[in-house]
Amino acid sequence: MRLLIFISSLSGGGAERVTVNLANHWALKGWEITIVTLRRQSDDFYALNHAVRRIALEIHGDSGNVIVGLFQNLRRVLALHRVLRRIRPDVALGMMDRANVILAIASWGLHRIRAIGSERTYPPQHPLGTLWERLRYHSYGHLYAVVAQTDKGAEWLKSHTKAQRVFAIPNPANWPLIDQIPFVNVNVIVGNMSGTGRKLLLAVGRLSCEKQFGLLVGCFQSLAGRHADWDLAILGEGPLRSQLEAQVSEASLGNRVFFPGRAGNIREWYECADLYVMSSRFEGFPNTLVEAMACGLPVVSFDCDTGPRDIIRHKVDGLLVSPGDAQELTATLSQLMGDENLRQELASRAVDVQMRFATKRIAEQWERLFKEVRVF
């Protein structure tokens, strides 16, 4: 089986992590895997198996205006078309919306190649702009299939694009987690807590608007007095770092709320935490939530349109909260922070995600799709 995967980059992110996990899994099965990116290879965050072929087109960057944008995207289409003609994969798989569009156009006329698109978020929560939305609507009809992460995402694609075949396949849980750089010493925080009886509330994600970490900090501010033995750490980087740090400083929580940055040794952080929280406004299928549960953490999350509700079994292995309801999130966190038995009860069942979303099981769903489009 020759598989080519096209994605913008392999820098840190959920889609990038899924791409690498699946590519490594199939490489170990003896498949010929090629990963093509727009960004340079030196930007890669995740480690690939040595058997995976890596091609970096190095045609990336923001466009200054519409004309420059059209020219840049034409270059990307032509460059990918040349790679497809040279590699001649059985399947070419796009990862994320714009990559899907470019792949759909680049694969025109290459009838022996089965081009498949893959949405990595819930589309209505991530609008592309008028031009890209129109391109997605029409170009998806030229793909052999399009994959969503959830049933609700699949229904949206059926209704809002010309995709002829739509499937729902969740993200795999990469287990056990493998450490990589950058290494962020968890003992900087947890070491200071050792032997003190202090506990850690953990969140992970890009420091950007959709993650609503400002709301989370506000909730923790309300809880800090009632739960004086708890601290909050938010792992990740992003444009809102300075704003969030200013919010923490203004609330006089500098010794209780921490922003350690992006960590490649995230497993250690999960293992040292006592509770995981997801405050996102929207998600596709959040890898960090699955990872936290796989590490045996009790979890609380806003009940987004897609993602958390497809992972958490409410009151079985985690708790779901009405989207955007800061008061309910605060109350739910307070309940769990004050009840160790409830935390342990939820955590004992959370580890089921290791089997529910095992890489082998999810990869087999992809393989059935490849067979359905008559690849083999």
Side-chain angles (χ1 to χ4, degrees):
M1 170 68 177
R2 294 191 305 276
L3 174 67
L4 181 147
I5 305 176
F6 175 56
I7 186 169
S8 177
S9 77
L10 290 183
S11 59
E16 293 84 352
R17 181 177 299 193
V18 169
T19 297
V20 169
N21 290 347
L22 289 173
N24 289 343
H25 174 82
W26 286 322
L28 290 173
K29 291 185 66 172
W31 290 17
E32 295 180 26
I33 308 296
T34 301
I35 292 184
V36 181
T37 63
L38 295 176
R39 297 192 69 90
R40 59 194 177 189
Q41 189 169 350
S42 60
D43 291 337
D44 290 2
F45 179 71
Y46 301 112
L48 282 169
N49 183 285
H50 65 86
V52 177
R53 179 188 297 178
R54 180 75 175 80
I55 298 176
L57 300 179
E58 298 193 13
I59 310 174
H60 59 86
D62 296 330
S63 304
N65 56 58
V66 174
I67 301 300
V68 174
L70 289 173
F71 176 73
Q72 283 283 78
N73 284 305
L74 178 59
R75 289 181 61 208
R76 291 163 183 156
V77 167
L78 292 175
L80 181 59
H81 181 82
R82 287 192 291 268
V83 171
L84 291 170
R85 290 189 62 181
R86 185 171 82 250
I87 302 296
R88 290 287 175 180
D90 300 308
V91 172
L93 174 62
M95 283 287 186
M96 295 194 284
D97 37 40
R98 288 181 174 84
N100 298 335
V101 172
I102 293 172
L103 174 62
I105 300 171
S107 61
W108 282 352
L110 303 177
H111 302 298
R112 296 185 63 183
I113 297 174
R114 303 297 194 257
I116 297 174
S118 175
E119 286 279 350
R120 311 316 302 170
T121 187
Y122 182 47
Q125 294 283 14
H126 192 253
L128 302 180
T130 302
L131 177 59
W132 280 101
E133 289 287 356
R134 288 178 180 174
L135 286 171
R136 173 164 60 184
Y137 174 80
H138 291 286
S139 67
Y140 276 22
H142 296 280
L143 295 167
Y144 272 81
V146 181
V147 175
Q149 297 169 308
T150 63
D151 290 335
K152 188 168 183 177
E155 289 302 317
W156 188 95
L157 290 170
K158 291 175 184 176
S159 302
H160 294 82
T161 74
K162 289 190 173 183
Q164 300 178 46
R165 306 172 189 86
V166 181
F167 301 85
I169 302 177
N171 286 352
N174 185 31
W175 184 261
L177 293 174
I178 299 173
D179 290 344
Q180 60 187 59
I181 58 172
F183 180 87
V184 180
N185 191 352
V186 67
N187 289 321
V188 170
I189 296 174
V190 179
N192 294 334
M193 296 161 50
S194 298
T196 65
R198 301 198 64 76
K199 300 177 180 64
L200 182 63
L201 173 63
L202 179 67
V204 180
R206 178 171 163 78
L207 306 184
S208 52
C209 293
E210 72 275 10
K211 301 301 182 181
Q212 299 190 126
F213 289 138
L215 180 149
L216 176 59
V217 170
C219 292
F220 187 79
Q221 182 179 357
S222 300
L223 294 165
R226 282 178 280 164
H227 300 279
D229 55 338
W230 283 79
D231 297 317
L232 168 65
I234 301 176
L235 285 177
E237 285 293 350
L240 297 186
R241 170 179 276 275
S242 59
Q243 181 177 322
L244 290 167
E245 288 176 335
Q247 180 182 354
V248 168
S249 177
E250 186 176 345
S252 299
L253 290 172
N255 62 339
R256 302 279 302 277
V257 180
F258 306 93
F259 299 96
R262 188 170 63 175
N265 58 320
I266 196 169
R267 174 185 55 86
E268 290 187 57
W269 287 85
Y270 291 136
E271 290 175 348
C272 290
D274 298 276
L275 177 61
Y276 185 83
V277 59
M278 177 163 280
S279 55
S280 302
R281 182 167 57 86
F282 64 87
E283 287 286 347
F285 195 93
N287 296 320
T288 59
L289 184 60
V290 177
E291 292 167 355
M293 295 173 70
C295 286
L297 271 178
V299 296
V300 177
S301 174
F302 278 141
D303 187 14
C304 308
D305 285 337
T306 62
R309 68 174 61 171
D310 300 287
I311 300 167
I312 294 173
R313 298 171 295 184
H314 184 52
K315 295 185 178 180
V316 175
D317 52 18
L319 298 177
L320 293 167
V321 175
S322 302
D325 191 329
Q327 288 188 339
E328 186 179 348
L329 180 61
T330 300
T332 304
L333 286 172
S334 183
Q335 177 189 11
L336 278 170
M337 291 162 74
D339 191 337
E340 184 176 355
N341 289 333
L342 179 57
R343 294 199 306 272
Q344 291 179 351
E345 182 181 336
L346 295 174
S348 67
R349 292 188 287 263
V351 292
D352 291 350
V353 298
Q354 294 179 22
M355 291 297 297
R356 290 166 57 206
F357 303 111
T359 297
K360 182 176 183 295
R361 176 176 291 185
I362 302 305
E364 287 172 352
Q365 294 184 42
W366 281 101
E367 292 160 22
R368 287 195 293 271
L369 168 59
F370 297 157
K371 290 180 180 179
E372 188 159 332
V373 297
R374 299 179 180 177
V375 173
F376 298 114

